Amino acid sequence: MVDSSRNINRKIGLRMWLSGGWLLFLFLATLFAPIISPHDPLAQDLFASRLPPIWMDGYESTYYLGSDSLGRDVLSRILYGARIALLVALIASTATCIIGATLGVLAGYFGGWVDLVISRLVDIWMAFPPVLFAILLIAVLGTGLTSIIIAIIVIDWTRFCRVIRAETMSQSAMDYVASAQAAGRARFGIMVKEIFPNVLPTIVVLLTLEMGIAVIVEAILSFVNLSISTDFPTWGGMISEGRTSVHQAWWVIVFPLITLFLTVLSFSQLGEGLKDRFDPVLR
Amino acid sequence: MPILKRLFIRILSIAVTLIGVSIIVFVVIRVVPGNPISMMLPPGATDDDILRLKILYGFDKSIIEQFFIWISGVLSGDFGTSISLRQPVLSLVLGRLPATLELSLLALLIACILGGTLSLLGTRLRETKIEGIIDGINGMAMSIPDFLWGLIFILLFGVMWPIFHISGRISPFLDIDYSTQFYLVESIVRFDLKVFADLLAHMLMPAVALSIPLAAIISQLLKQSLKETMHLDYVTLSRTKGYSENHVILREALPNAVLPTMTLVGVQFTFLIGGTVIIERLFSYEGLGNMAIDAVINRDLPLIQGIVILFALIFTLVNLLVDLTYTLLNPKLRNG
Amino acid sequence: MTAFLSIRNLSISLQNGERILRSVNMDLARGDVRGLVGESGAGKSMIGKAILGILPRALKIDEGEILFQGKNLLNLNPRELRKEIGANAALIPQDPLTALNPSHRIGRQITNRLIDILGWSKSDAVKRTYDLLDEVRIPDPKRVINSFPHELSGGMRQRILIASAFAAEPKLIIADEPTTALDVTVQKQIVSLIGEMQSRHGTTLLFVTHDLGVVSKVCQSLSVLFLGKVIEDTSVSLFFDNPSHPYSRALLTATPKYTDPNSDLIPVSEKILNSVKEEVLRLDREWSNGR
C-alpha cells in the first residue's frame, strides 16, 4: 500500500517536472527572444533558402534549425512565434478565468436568483456548439489576435463557470462557512476570505488547461490564415507554410510542430498533474 | 407510448433550438460592428457599389423586415445566394454534406472500435501493468487535439512512409460517375472495390485523427463504467454459474455499462463533427468544414449562415438519435 | 459421516494482513442443512464465497483446503473451478434487487446456465423453467419469463433467484443471507420456501444468516462464527437446548425466540465478548509465530 502511493506521487512528480520545465524554458526563451535569436525572424534571404538544420549536410552555421523557402531562420521564427502563442494563452485564459470564475463563485455562493440567471445563461451558451460559435465570431469580428482572444473568452467562460459554481456550492455547505456566518461576518467577506481560497486550486487547474486550449486555438486559426497577419511568425502559420514544401524541406514544418506538440501536451499534463495533487482522494 | 411522447417533445425542442440558432446567427451577423456590406466588399469600393449591394441583399430594409424575408425564404428552401461562389447556398451546402457525414461517421466507427477494444482490454487485464499502460495511452490521446494528430499522421504516413493520400477525397484520375455524393456508401453498394480502396486511402488518416480523442474518452468512460459494473451482484452470480471472465465482461457487464457511457459519447460526437472543420482543411477534403473556412475568409455571409444552421441541425439530430437509442436500449424504458 | 463438503483449516486475510477467517473447519454430509451464524463482519459470507471461488480480489487465502466431493477446490485452476462450481453448486444471493441483470429478461437468466454451461436444449430448459416457477409459486409464469427485473417486486425476484439456483439440480446450494434485504413479511415466506425446496430436492444447503430463528426453522446443524473463528459446531437441537460456548449462550439469550417474539432481549455482554476476543488474539499470535 505504502509503496504504491509513493509510486503515484513519483509519477505525478516526474510528469509535472517535465511539463513545468518545458514551459519555463519556453517562457524564458520568449522573454529573451530578441537576444538569443540568431536572425531577424522576418528577414528573407533568397540565397539562404531551405537550408537544412545544423547536423545535416549543406547547413550554414547560424541557421541551427535550418531555413524556410524564403530563407527565414526557423529557430528565430519559432522563438518569436512562441511570443504570440504565450501572449494569447496568457491574456485569453486569464480573462476567461476571471469572467467565468467570478460568475461561478457568485452563482455558487449566493444561490437564489443570481444562480438561476447565471446557470440558465450557461445552459443556453453551452447548447451552441463551440465550433459554430468560433466560425461566427471570427466571421463577424474579422481576423487578428484580438478576435481570437475575444472568441476564446466568449466561448470558454462557461467551462470555468460551471465547475467553479459546483465547487463553490460544495464549499459553502461546509462547517467553516456556517461558523463564519454564525460569527456575524459579512457575506461578501466570507466569499472572498473563506470560500475563494478553497476554490483557488480548482481555478488554477482550469487555468492551466485553458492555456493549452488557447495555444492550440491560436495555432489552428493561424494555420488557416484567420489569425494575425502572415507578416508575424506564428507556429500555425509556419506549419501551414511548411506543409507545402514538406518534401523539399521537412524541417520547416517539423520543428514548429514539435514545439506546439510539447507545449500543448505540457499545459495539459501540468493541469492534470495539479488536479491529482489537489485531489484530496489521492492525497 | 411514452417513447412517442418523448420523441414528440424532442422534435419540438429541436424546432425551438433551430429557430433560436437562426435568430442568433441572423442578429449577430447584422448587429455587430461594421455593416455586412462593408465586410463583403474590398476596401475602396464606391458608395454607389455599397448602395447597389445593400438593395440587392435587402439590407436597406429594417432588421425585422429583413429577418422575416430571410426566414420565409429559409422555410421555402431558399437560403440565399453565396457571394463568393455565386450559387444558391442550399445546393452548395447539400453538395458538401455527404462528404462530411461520411467522414464523421467513419471516425465515429473507428472511435467506437478503438475505444471499446481498449476499455475491454483494460477491464480484462485490470489491476495489472497493462491497465496502467492503457490508462497512460488514454491520457496522452485525450490531451492531444485532433488537429495535431492530423499533422503527425500527415508527416508519418503521408511523407515519411507515403501509405495514404494526404489531400482530397478521391484521386482525380478515378473519373467516377455516381448518382449520389455518398461516394463511400455508393462504392460499397456497387461493390466497386477500386473506388472504395481509393476513398479509404484518402479518408482513413483524417478519420483516425478525428477519432483518437473520442476513442480515448470512450475508452476511459466505458472502462470506468465496466469496472463499477463488475462488482455488482449479478456479475458475481453469473460467475458461480460457470461462466468465463470473457463471457462475464461481454454479456453481463457490457450491456449495462454501455448505457451510461452512451449519452456522454453523444455529446462528444458533436465535438467530433465540429472537429471536421479544421481536419477537412488540413487534408484538403472537400466537405462542409473546408467550405466554412473559405466562407469565413471570403466573408461570404449567406454561405456562413447556411453552414452554421446546417451544422446546428446536424448537432441537434445527433442528440435526438442518441436519446432515442438510449430509450430503445434501456430496458427500464422499453417495456412499459 | 462421509464428508461431502469439508473445509479444513481455512484462513483468509486482507492484503494488509488483517485476518478475516481463522483456521475454519466444517463438515457437511450429503443432504445436510447447515446454518452458518455470526454477527455482521464475522466472516460468514466469506466462507460461502471461498467455496464458490468468488472471493473479492482484496482477499487472499493463506492456507487450508476446501474438499468438495473429495476434490480440493483450492487446487483447481480457474477454469476447472468454474466447471466444477457451475455444474454442481449454486448461490442464492443476498440482495435480489441487485442480483438480476437489469438488461436481460428473467427467462434467460434462469435458463442460461442450463443451455450455455450444461448443454441442455432450449425447449428442455424452457420447460424446466416453467416447472420451477410453479414450484416457487410464481403466478403468471409466462409474463414473468418475458419481464425485466425492474418490473418485479423484491420477493418475486428472490423466488426467481431460488428457482434459478435449483434449476440445474446442484448438489450444493449456498444461501448467503437470502432474506436480509427483504421486508419482514416476505422474509418468512422465503425462508420456508427455501426449506421446502431443499427437502423436495434433497440438496445440501449451507445457510448463511445472522438470524437464529431462521436456523431453528430450516437447519439441522449449525456453526457459530465469531471474529472469523468457528466457536461452536453442533446440531440445532443440542445448540438450542444447551449451547457449550459462552458466546453462543449469550447469542441465544440476545435473540428473540422465533416462537416467542415478546420475550426480553438481553444484549451480549461486554465481558463475554472480551473473553472471546482475547482467545482469538491468542490464537492469532500462535498462528503468526507458526509461520
Side-chain angles (χ1 to χ4, degrees):
Chain A
M1 292 296 261
V2 179
D3 264 349
S4 69
S5 70
R6 197 189 298 148
N7 239 335
I8 288 171
N9 270 333
R10 200 177 54 207
K11 237 163 72 191
I12 293 173
L14 181 67
R15 184 167 70 164
M16 287 176 52
W17 256 106
L18 287 176
S19 44
W22 167 257
L23 292 173
L24 185 70
F25 171 75
L26 195 69
F27 182 70
L28 291 176
T30 314
L31 272 188
F32 298 111
I35 303 167
I36 53 178
S37 293
H39 293 267
D40 176 350
L42 302 176
Q44 302 182 5
D45 181 356
L46 292 180
F47 295 106
S49 80
R50 288 180 187 157
L51 291 173
I54 195 153
W55 56 88
M56 285 171 64
D57 286 341
Y59 73 92
E60 216 162 283
S61 61
T62 53
Y63 293 88
Y64 299 101
L65 298 180
S67 66
D68 67 9
S69 46
L70 295 175
R72 296 173 299 189
D73 178 39
V74 170
L75 177 63
S76 308
R77 289 177 69 76
I78 289 179
L79 289 174
Y80 277 89
R83 291 191 139 189
I84 290 172
L86 290 189
L87 191 74
V88 171
L90 281 176
I91 298 178
S93 51
T94 310
T96 311
C97 172
I98 291 173
I99 294 172
T102 308
L103 290 174
V105 170
L106 285 174
Y109 183 61
F110 287 105
W113 66 266
V114 180
D115 183 29
L116 199 74
V117 171
I118 295 177
S119 297
R120 276 302 128 249
L121 198 62
V122 170
D123 285 349
I124 295 170
W125 222 266
M126 292 187 68
F128 214 74
V131 173
L132 296 197
F133 227 147
I135 292 176
L136 257 186
L137 284 170
I138 301 293
V140 167
L141 299 170
T143 57
L145 277 191
T146 328
S147 306
I148 295 177
I149 292 171
I150 293 175
I152 291 174
I153 299 170
V154 168
I155 294 168
D156 267 357
W157 68 273
T158 52
R159 192 196 301 267
F160 282 81
C161 189
R162 229 166 26 110
V163 179
I164 299 298
R165 172 180 167 271
E167 184 76 22
T168 308
M169 281 172 93
S170 69
Q171 289 292 337
S172 305
M174 297 214 174
D175 286 343
Y176 72 89
V177 177
S179 65
Q181 274 168 349
R185 292 181 40 199
R187 296 194 63 166
F188 190 76
I190 297 174
M191 187 177 84
V192 174
K193 289 247 168 78
E194 303 288 338
I195 294 192
F196 183 70
N198 281 295
V199 294
L200 195 61
T202 313
I203 294 181
V204 171
V205 169
L206 289 175
L207 185 65
T208 315
L209 294 174
E210 186 68 33
M211 287 191 190
I213 295 172
V215 168
I216 197 75
V217 168
E218 195 280 325
I220 287 176
L221 290 174
S222 52
F223 176 82
V224 296
N225 247 333
L226 289 174
S227 173
I228 194 167
S229 120
T230 42
D231 295 345
F232 292 89
T234 54
W235 294 345
M238 293 176 77
I239 291 170
S240 167
E241 289 156 13
R243 205 182 143 231
T244 54
S245 62
V246 64
H247 290 284
Q248 299 86 27
W250 55 265
W251 50 90
V252 183
I253 182 169
V254 167
F255 293 118
L257 180 58
I258 291 174
T259 321
L260 176 63
F261 183 88
L262 287 179
T263 309
V264 171
L265 189 65
S266 296
F267 275 124
S268 102
Q269 292 301 309
L270 189 66
E272 295 295 328
L274 287 171
K275 197 198 274 173
D276 290 348
R277 263 287 149 87
F278 294 142
D279 192 350
V281 179
L282 269 175
R283 191 166 49 189
Chain B
M1 283 311 104
I3 292 183
L4 278 182
K5 196 176 159 194
R6 227 177 138 87
L7 185 66
F8 179 72
I9 293 172
R10 287 306 307 248
I11 289 176
L12 206 68
S13 77
I14 285 181
V16 172
T17 314
L18 287 179
I19 292 170
V21 168
S22 317
I23 294 175
I24 293 171
V25 172
F26 186 87
V27 171
V28 163
I29 286 185
R30 279 166 184 77
V31 167
V32 174
N35 71 60
I37 297 295
S38 66
M39 284 188 199
M40 290 175 203
L41 284 173
T46 64
D47 288 351
D48 201 35
D49 291 338
I50 295 178
L51 191 67
R52 276 220 324 275
L53 258 181
K54 267 192 173 174
I55 293 166
L56 182 62
Y57 286 97
F59 290 133
D60 52 336
K61 302 194 175 66
S62 82
I63 195 160
I64 297 175
E65 251 179 296
Q66 285 182 42
F67 181 72
F68 280 106
I69 291 171
W70 180 71
I71 201 90
S72 63
V74 166
L75 288 177
S76 60
D78 175 14
F79 281 80
T81 307
S82 156
I83 294 167
S84 56
L85 300 169
R86 299 175 205 290
Q87 284 176 46
V89 167
L90 187 68
S91 67
L92 279 174
V93 164
L94 289 183
R96 290 290 187 97
L97 178 65
T100 299
L101 281 185
E102 281 191 342
L103 182 63
S104 330
L105 289 175
L106 183 64
L108 177 66
L109 183 73
I110 294 171
C112 289
I113 293 172
L114 276 180
T117 314
L118 269 185
S119 66
L120 288 172
L121 211 63
T123 312
R124 183 69 181 81
L125 302 169
R126 62 193 179 283
E127 286 152 45
T128 63
K129 281 219 171 83
I130 299 193
E131 192 197 1
I133 295 172
I134 288 177
D135 286 346
I137 294 173
N138 269 344
M140 179 96 169
M142 225 179 299
S143 54
I144 303 298
D146 42 18
F147 172 65
L148 282 181
W149 286 119
L151 281 168
I152 292 168
F153 289 159
I154 286 183
L155 286 180
L156 288 183
F157 306 114
V159 179
M160 273 181 77
W161 304 285
I163 312 169
F164 298 112
H165 298 280
I166 53 173
S167 122
R169 187 180 182 197
I170 189 163
S171 302
F173 62 82
L174 281 171
D175 193 15
I176 57 168
D177 164 34
Y178 279 3
S179 43
T180 66
Q181 298 281 324
F182 290 96
Y183 293 161
L184 194 67
V185 178
E186 197 167 333
S187 73
I188 295 172
V189 172
R190 293 182 180 222
F191 207 67
D192 196 342
L193 282 182
K194 205 173 134 206
V195 174
F196 179 73
D198 186 71
L199 284 166
L200 265 194
H202 281 89
M203 289 170 78
L204 214 52
M205 279 204 303
V208 172
L210 278 170
S211 73
I212 286 180
L214 179 61
I217 289 168
I218 291 179
S219 163
Q220 198 191 41
L221 290 174
L222 190 59
K223 188 161 83 85
Q224 181 65 28
S225 182
L226 271 171
K227 279 181 93 172
E228 280 162 19
T229 313
M230 291 302 283
H231 290 297
L232 297 179
D233 290 353
Y234 59 81
V235 172
T236 313
L237 187 64
S238 81
R239 286 182 202 280
T240 70
K241 289 181 178 176
Y243 285 111
S244 65
E245 181 76 10
N246 289 343
H247 176 102
V248 167
I249 293 176
L250 291 174
R251 303 295 293 278
E252 301 287 339
L254 189 60
N256 296 294
V258 164
L259 270 181
T261 319
M262 249 192 57
T263 38
L264 290 163
V265 170
V267 176
Q268 295 296 330
F269 180 51
T270 60
F271 290 155
L272 185 152
I273 299 175
T276 58
V277 173
I278 185 64
I279 288 294
E280 285 180 2
R281 189 68 176 187
L282 191 55
F283 288 89
S284 315
Y285 184 87
E286 298 98 3
L288 266 184
N290 211 343
M291 186 184 249
I293 289 179
D294 281 332
V296 173
I297 291 174
N298 296 327
R299 301 205 151 175
D300 189 339
L301 294 183
L303 190 54
I304 292 174
Q305 269 178 359
I307 293 173
V308 168
I309 289 170
L310 186 62
F311 265 123
L313 178 71
I314 296 173
F315 291 157
T316 43
L317 284 181
V318 166
N319 284 329
L320 175 74
L321 270 177
V322 171
D323 198 53
L324 282 182
T325 327
Y326 184 83
T327 315
L328 288 178
L329 286 181
N330 189 344
K332 294 198 177 159
L333 297 169
R334 185 161 39 173
N335 246 21
Chain C
M1 184 170 80
T2 53
F4 166 68
L5 174 71
S6 176
I7 296 174
R8 296 265 146 264
N9 251 343
L10 183 64
S11 288
I12 293 179
S13 59
L14 283 172
Q15 303 287 7
N16 64 9
E18 190 190 324
R19 297 186 73 188
I20 303 295
L21 289 184
R22 299 171 152 92
S23 305
V24 167
N25 286 297
M26 191 187 295
D27 285 298
L28 270 80
R30 192 76 198 265
D32 254 358
V33 182
R34 171 169 300 245
L36 189 50
V37 187
E39 299 170 320
S40 51
K44 53 190 188 304
S45 281
M46 291 309 148
I47 295 180
K49 292 200 165 120
I51 297 169
L52 296 170
I54 50 171
L55 277 178
R57 284 178 181 230
L59 297 178
K60 62 178 186 359
I61 295 173
D62 299 313
E63 59 174 7
E65 18 184 61
I66 298 173
L67 296 165
F68 181 53
Q69 307 188 89
K71 243 185 253 176
N72 184 359
L73 295 181
L74 302 182
N75 283 347
L76 300 180
N77 67 35
R79 192 202 196 100
E80 292 165 340
L81 179 65
R82 274 204 311 268
K83 231 178 129 190
E84 187 69 28
I85 294 298
N88 296 312
L91 169 73
I92 301 176
Q94 180 168 18
D95 186 355
L97 297 181
T98 58
L100 287 166
N101 192 324
S103 293
H104 300 164
R105 292 176 200 273
I106 297 296
R108 175 169 163 197
Q109 302 199 45
I110 300 178
T111 56
N112 61 0
R113 180 198 320 230
L114 302 178
I115 296 171
D116 299 345
I117 305 292
L118 302 172
W120 291 34
S121 74
K122 189 166 180 245
S123 58
D124 285 352
V126 170
K127 191 176 167 300
R128 173 81 176 144
T129 305
Y130 275 102
D131 293 346
L132 284 162
L133 290 182
D134 187 46
E135 273 191 64
V136 297
R137 291 190 288 277
I138 280 182
D140 200 358
K142 201 170 183 142
R143 186 186 66 85
V144 169
I145 280 177
N146 285 312
S147 310
F148 287 100
H150 71 272
E151 296 168 291
L152 306 172
S153 70
M156 284 280 261
R157 290 194 225 181
Q158 193 58 291
R159 281 166 196 272
I160 283 154
L161 287 164
I162 292 169
S164 169
F166 281 91
E169 291 291 356
K171 302 188 178 84
L172 171 71
I173 285 184
I174 293 169
D176 186 4
E177 306 207 48
T179 58
T180 34
L182 297 172
D183 287 348
V184 185
T185 46
V186 187
Q187 282 183 5
K188 271 191 190 176
Q189 297 170 12
I190 294 295
V191 169
S192 52
L193 180 65
I194 292 175
E196 190 186 306
M197 292 289 283
Q198 186 279 328
S199 51
R200 189 180 305 140
H201 294 263
T203 321
T204 313
L205 179 65
L206 184 62
F207 204 118
V208 180
T209 180
H210 58 262
D211 189 344
L212 282 173
V214 169
V215 173
S216 75
K217 195 159 184 210
V218 210
C219 304
Q220 298 140 12
S221 59
L222 87 167
S223 300
V224 179
L225 215 62
F226 183 75
L227 289 177
K229 172 136 198 70
V230 177
I231 55 167
E232 178 108 34
D233 183 350
T234 176
S235 78
V236 166
S237 54
L238 276 176
F239 179 81
F240 281 94
D241 289 346
N242 182 24
S244 61
H245 197 277
Y247 176 75
S248 309
R249 279 199 293 278
L251 200 63
L252 206 52
T253 48
T255 311
K257 300 258 165 54
Y258 213 56
T259 45
D260 182 11
N262 297 324
S263 70
D264 289 342
L265 290 177
I266 308 162
V268 180
S269 84
E270 283 290 318
K271 205 175 126 198
I272 296 173
L273 287 181
N274 285 337
S275 74
V276 183
K277 268 181 198 158
E278 268 165 37
E279 188 191 328
V280 167
L281 288 176
R282 185 179 56 76
L283 286 170
D284 268 9
R285 276 195 297 277
E286 274 172 28
W287 188 75
S288 54
N289 287 341
R291 283 164 78 86

